[in-house]
Amino acid sequence: MKPRHWLAAVACSAAALVPFHATAQEITLRVVSAFPENSLYVKRLESWIERFNAEGKGTMRLNFIGGPKAIPTFEVGKSVQGGVVDIGMSTGAFYTNVFPESDALKLTQMAVAEQRRNGVIAYVNKVWNEKGNMHYLGRIVEHQPFHLYLNKEIAKPDLKGLKIRITPVYRDFFGAMGATLMQTAPGEVYTALERGVVDGYGWPVGGIFDANWHEKTRYRVDPGFYDAEVSLVINLKKWQGLSAKQREFLQQQVINLEGRNDFWKAYAKEEIKRQAAAGIKTISFDAATSAAYLKQAYETGWAGVIKLSPKHGPQMQKLFTKK
Ligand code: 173
């Protein structure tokens, strides 16, 4: 063999070996959370990652970088979209700056297990792929209705004159009830309450003890509305670059975590008790007013989504609404 040919042959076989080598190797993906590190969401994420890494030896490893101190809450979506990080734990409301449809996940009216069977997740993934450059891995928080928490008493669903902390989740609904809206990340809620900058805030049924908000909260308004969604999303290119085995492993691990979402049902009950024990009073309305409150929540919520996405909004509403 002439030297030139020999070199070419080596180069060829080396190139051919690269993919084998790459797939045989363990890959490390970087994970960030849009929620603060003291939240239960992050604690559950971290224990899931621990098990993931034990079972994933030789296949895949997750490296938890941190919460909003690493990447600010409202930047996590953009970081996943651009591939600055690989996986984000976030909620749609925090990455409407990537694509506005993300916030619609709060409006799903069936469990995620059913969403996998009835085409919701398939549709979501199509939109998340196309508009977010993300693969939607799964929903790790559900069965957690949102509530309005207040420090001033109200007799009816009228928020005129009240300053309420929001995210996009609550914007249309609380706005329709006349509230003055102030958007903050979760990490700024305590200070806003402490300084009296807001008279209340939106948050799911569970979690207000994680950063001591209960100390600054007098009332929870019932009923709850929508369903809090926290999900894992991965940069699409990263996802597509994984081996079939790695993709399957990662997806299955997330589905296993989804399979433990009944935890959130029990947690909701515990948190309601814990709030009562902490002296937080319940504000509730008569049956007709409660029904109208919920109706307004969904009507304003969907109107907001459809306005921002005339293309996907109506189809999402059809798919996400309980028949
Ligand atoms: O209130 C919020 O910050 C918010 O939008 C949210 C969404 C999902 C879970 C918890 C909070």
Side-chain angles (χ1 to χ4, degrees):
M1 211 187 263
K2 283 181 196 157
R4 216 162 21 108
H5 292 150
W6 179 81
L7 257 179
V10 168
C12 261
S13 60
L17 277 173
V18 165
F20 291 103
H21 187 64
T23 52
Q25 241 180 12
E26 186 182 85
I27 188 171
T28 298
L29 301 184
R30 291 173 318 148
V31 184
V32 294
S33 164
F35 290 92
E37 274 162 43
N38 56 10
S39 69
L40 182 61
Y41 304 151
V42 170
K43 288 188 181 132
R44 281 176 68 83
L45 177 76
E46 284 180 306
S47 47
W48 173 73
I49 288 178
E50 212 171 289
R51 212 160 116 186
F52 184 109
N53 288 343
E55 291 174 17
K57 271 203 171 61
T59 307
M60 186 181 287
R61 196 189 147 70
L62 299 181
N63 178 16
F64 181 57
I65 308 286
K69 285 194 196 90
I71 308 238
T73 297
F74 297 110
E75 295 302 319
V76 167
K78 283 215 169 288
S79 301
V80 173
Q81 178 193 33
V84 172
V85 297
D86 302 314
I87 294 178
M89 180 180 80
S90 188
T91 185
F94 295 167
Y95 56 93
T96 54
N97 52 356
V98 180
F99 58 106
E101 291 87 350
S102 60
D103 187 38
L105 291 177
K106 70 190 180 193
L107 297 165
T108 55
Q109 292 184 328
M110 71 288 294
V112 71
E114 194 184 333
Q115 293 173 35
R116 291 201 176 274
R117 294 191 292 268
N118 69 6
V120 166
I121 294 294
Y123 193 89
V124 162
N125 231 331
K126 191 172 89 97
V127 178
W128 264 238
N129 283 192
E130 284 171 11
K131 300 198 73 175
N133 193 38
M134 295 171 190
H135 169 74
Y136 183 83
L137 281 165
R139 181 164 182 155
I140 61 174
V141 175
E142 56 180 331
H143 315 304
Q144 289 284 294
F146 292 101
H147 286 265
L148 167 62
Y149 296 88
L150 290 174
N151 281 326
K152 290 186 180 153
E153 199 166 5
I154 54 168
K156 54 183 178 14
D158 180 355
L159 305 180
K160 273 187 220 74
L162 296 179
K163 286 170 285 175
I164 309 290
R165 173 269 174 185
I166 58 146
T167 67
V169 165
Y170 326 92
R171 183 178 291 135
D172 298 301
F173 182 34
F174 292 177
M177 289 189 283
T180 300
L181 309 174
M182 245 195 83
Q183 174 157 311
T184 84
E188 288 149 33
V189 173
Y190 187 89
T191 310
L193 288 166
E194 193 179 33
R195 294 188 183 157
V197 174
V198 295
D199 303 306
Y201 57 95
W203 193 259
V205 63
I208 71 159
F209 294 89
D210 292 358
N212 299 316
W213 302 349
H214 66 286
E215 292 171 0
K216 309 283 171 196
T217 304
R218 293 181 64 195
Y219 307 99
R220 184 192 68 250
V221 177
D222 283 357
F225 52 92
Y226 309 156
D227 187 21
E229 160 267 329
V230 177
S231 299
L232 292 172
V233 289
I234 179 170
N235 174 271
L236 186 59
K237 215 163 159 212
K238 194 57 144 195
W239 171 252
Q240 289 167 340
L242 299 175
S243 70
K245 185 183 168 203
Q246 287 167 334
R247 269 200 301 272
E248 212 168 283
F249 177 74
L250 171 57
Q251 187 60 76
Q252 193 53 51
Q253 287 285 325
V254 176
I255 289 175
N256 293 349
L257 183 55
E258 270 186 2
R260 301 201 282 276
N261 278 352
D262 270 0
F263 163 83
W264 299 107
K265 290 183 186 169
Y267 177 65
K269 288 191 187 137
E270 284 166 25
E271 288 282 283
I272 285 171
K273 278 196 213 143
R274 200 174 167 198
Q275 288 176 16
I280 296 172
K281 294 194 181 69
T282 306
I283 294 176
S284 43
F285 311 119
D286 61 57
T289 309
S290 293
Y293 180 81
L294 283 180
K295 189 163 176 271
Q296 189 180 24
Y298 281 95
E299 280 179 1
T300 55
W302 277 118
V305 170
I306 290 166
K307 190 173 160 206
L308 294 170
S309 182
K311 183 171 174 206
H312 296 293
Q315 183 62 12
M316 285 176 137
Q317 183 174 22
K318 227 171 82 212
L319 281 167
F320 291 10
T321 305
K322 200 164 60 196
K323 303 281 177 315

